[in-house]
Amino acid sequence: MKLASLRSGRDGKLVVVSRDLNRAVSAAQISPTLQSALDDWTSTEPALQALYAQLNAGECSEAFAFDPAACAAPLPRAYHWADGSAYVTHVELVRKARGAELPESFWTDPLVYMGASDAFIGPHDDIDVESEAWGIDFEAEVVVITDDVPAGSSPELARDHIRLIGLVNDVSLRNLIPAELGKQFGFYQSKPWTSFTPVLATPDELGDAWDGARLHLPLRASLNGKLIGAPDAGQDMTFDFPTLIAHCAKSRSLMAGTVIGSGTVSNVGSEQGSCCLAEVRCLEIIATGAATTPFMSFGDRVEIDMLDANGTTIFGKIDQVVTHYQPPEK
């Protein structure tokens, strides 16, 4: 099943989207928003699946053409957004570029931070940034959405609470990060709003590519029409999603609609390219002693997508342009 939210108020209007992403139908008779559907997933999921089957069979007279540009984020705002750094090879590379050793604990204890979930943005929304000097970077990631997860859940139990899967662009302002982390209190200003693919999919839609813990397909990231990388999201993922969920639920329950991110997808050796410019720059530093690839500029266009074995998009494409934000004068 594939679900999206059309722009409507702050929480969007839930629609069911056909497998080929060509048609959609309102799910208002089942649940007005995705968050409300997740709040009562045991009841809403069978009804949504039935509507999805009707839509794919061409039996919905109310169906209409699906337009990704009309989409908000599937969850326009969420109660909880926890982003991990599950590809430790990426962390190791970044630290190597600045001559720092990777602590052994990084291989056994996940890195996670809580991001801004008061507003997520849609797949075609602009990336508004006030200054290019802030070091504007994209980060292509896989995310999962959970239902209610009890505190103290093991990874085995956490696996059963994954309800939806999608992709995000977790924008980072790289030049603001060092000062923030230097305070030893985490990200804030350096992490603006995160954008989502047009749709989220239930695990059964992914077939053998989803093994219950990892998504084994290349994640494609392009800048201004040039492919920057397509690393396999299931490869070199040190901490799988059940492990990340269990880590986040160690001391408190997670509420329905919690978004858990993988962190920047990265493969050992980076032979398939990178899913962020920071990694590209680190590879340049290691190879030549200096980074030559700039961060993004106003007018740049970033695209993030994942294709199935037949070359068909699964979640739709994130397609964004970096724009110059002008703050109010008074």
Side-chain angles (χ1 to χ4, degrees), residues 14-294:
L14 181 63
V15 296
V16 175
V17 183
S18 62
R19 182 170 288 111
D20 60 10
L21 304 187
N22 287 331
R23 306 285 289 170
V25 64
S26 171
Q29 73 274 26
I30 301 170
S31 186
T33 68
L34 181 54
Q35 180 61 56
S36 64
L38 288 162
D39 286 339
D40 190 22
W41 192 249
T42 301
S43 297
T44 59
E45 191 268 344
L48 290 170
Q49 286 282 12
L51 183 59
Y52 182 63
Q54 292 173 352
L55 177 63
N56 285 315
E59 298 173 354
C60 290
S61 59
E62 307 87 358
F64 53 87
F66 178 62
D67 179 11
C71 289
L75 275 173
R77 55 180 175 173
Y79 293 114
H80 196 163
W81 159 223
D83 196 17
S85 191
Y87 300 85
V88 178
T89 181
H90 171 74
V91 182
E92 184 178 42
L93 184 66
V94 171
R95 293 178 73 92
K96 181 179 179 180
R98 66 171 192 260
E101 291 292 326
L102 185 75
E104 282 298 318
S105 63
F106 279 35
W107 294 102
T108 57
D109 191 24
L111 293 171
V112 175
Y113 79 91
M114 184 183 293
S117 61
D118 51 327
F120 292 132
I121 59 177
H124 288 235
D125 288 340
D126 292 338
I127 302 170
D128 293 329
V129 182
E130 184 177 341
S131 173
E132 291 178 339
W134 290 351
I136 311 164
D137 198 1
F138 61 86
E139 289 192 56
E141 305 184 15
V142 180
V143 295
V144 299
I145 317 297
T146 76
D147 59 7
D148 292 315
V149 182
S153 290
S154 65
E156 292 72 25
L157 289 175
R159 179 188 296 250
D160 296 332
H161 291 281
I162 296 171
R163 297 301 176 218
L164 296 165
I165 302 166
L167 311 177
V168 301
N169 179 15
D170 177 40
V171 176
S172 290
L173 304 176
R174 299 292 186 184
N175 294 339
L176 298 185
I177 289 177
E180 284 206 298
L181 295 187
K183 299 176 183 179
Q184 299 185 359
F185 215 56
F187 300 118
Y188 194 86
Q189 295 173 335
S190 51
K191 288 290 186 177
W193 285 338
T194 299
S195 58
F196 281 65
T197 42
V199 306
L200 299 175
T202 48
D204 59 287
E205 284 294 316
L206 303 171
D208 293 340
W210 175 253
D211 65 6
R214 297 177 176 87
L215 181 51
H216 296 268
L217 286 170
L219 178 53
R220 300 172 56 85
S222 299
L223 182 62
N224 297 324
K226 176 185 177 182
L227 183 66
I228 302 300
D232 190 313
Q235 183 176 319
D236 304 318
M237 189 180 191
T238 308
F239 304 108
D240 62 20
F241 281 108
T243 299
L244 291 175
I245 295 168
H247 179 84
C248 292
K250 179 176 181 177
S251 60
R252 58 173 168 170
S253 299
L254 305 180
M255 298 298 101
T258 291
V259 184
I260 304 289
S262 67
T264 305
V265 173
S266 179
N267 290 165
V268 173
S270 302
E271 293 180 1
Q272 302 304 317
S274 303
C275 277
C276 69
L277 295 177
E279 182 169 297
V280 173
R281 289 166 59 88
C282 286
L283 289 167
E284 292 170 344
I285 291 171
I286 293 169
T288 68
T292 57
T293 297

